Amino acid sequence: MGETEWDIEEVKHLKTKQLIQFNLLMLLLFVLIGYFAENRNVLVLYGMFCVLLWIIVAGTLYILTTGKFVGTKTNRRVQEFDRTQLGEKRWKRRRIIELLFMSLLSIIVTVLTFVEDYETAIFNFPIDAFPFMGAWLGLNIGEMIRIHNL
């Protein structure tokens, strides 16, 4: 599909649907964080984040190398739109930056997972979850602004 063939109202609907799906996933993740934090399973919490980050890295690498999108039908359509709107060169540059950032973050979390002393580690839920909630809120606000600006 070329740039002129995209129905902006459909794209807004798809992006809104994608935001709802993202929020449901984040809610599930938040509940899991709360559960493992309350049960003092900090190692499981770190391990969960480690695995999640490496899955994101693998997905981004797959998209970059094959050009095929992964995820729900809604997510794939939104990614196709974003690729069309940005242009191939800018889209690829953003994916490479995302891959590098997520790879670095994954390496750091993996190292922390293996070197952290979990016998003394304390996670005070929900106070220590405020950065997570702040990032979640920020992502929602940013996405709603981008949807509105289409």
Side-chain angles (χ1 to χ4, degrees), residues 40-108:
R40 305 284 187 239
N41 289 331
V42 181
L43 175 60
V44 175
L45 199 55
Y46 269 89
M48 185 175 68
F49 278 120
C50 184
V51 169
L52 181 65
L53 288 171
W54 283 111
I55 288 171
I56 293 170
V57 168
T60 304
L61 185 60
Y62 175 80
I63 291 168
L64 255 175
T65 56
T66 65
K68 297 177 184 175
F69 297 111
V70 294
T72 63
K73 183 178 179 182
T74 300
N75 188 35
R76 289 191 307 265
R77 293 275 296 145
V78 168
Q79 288 182 61
E80 288 172 17
F81 172 78
D82 289 342
R83 182 188 229 172
T84 302
Q85 289 300 103
L86 286 172
E88 188 68 28
K89 187 176 179 180
R90 282 180 56 206
W91 176 84
K92 194 165 194 154
R93 188 174 345 134
R94 283 191 182 182
R95 291 291 153 240
I96 291 170
I97 291 168
E98 177 185 349
L99 179 65
L100 293 174
F101 176 76
M102 293 307 291
S103 296
L104 180 62
L105 187 61
S106 297
I107 290 167
I108 291 169

Side-chain angles (χ1 to χ4, degrees), residues 95-150:
R95 291 291 153 240
I96 291 170
I97 291 168
E98 177 185 349
L99 179 65
L100 293 174
F101 176 76
M102 293 307 291
S103 296
L104 180 62
L105 187 61
S106 297
I107 290 167
I108 291 169
V109 171
T110 302
V111 169
L112 287 175
T113 301
F114 289 104
V115 299
E116 183 73 32
D117 178 17
Y118 295 102
E119 299 301 319
T120 60
I122 297 172
F123 190 84
N124 294 321
F125 187 79
I127 293 170
D128 287 342
F130 281 139
F132 176 84
M133 293 184 297
W136 186 3
L137 180 65
L139 285 167
N140 271 285
I141 291 170
E143 193 58 33
M144 285 189 280
I145 289 170
R146 283 188 285 280
I147 291 169
H148 181 269
N149 288 340
L150 279 178

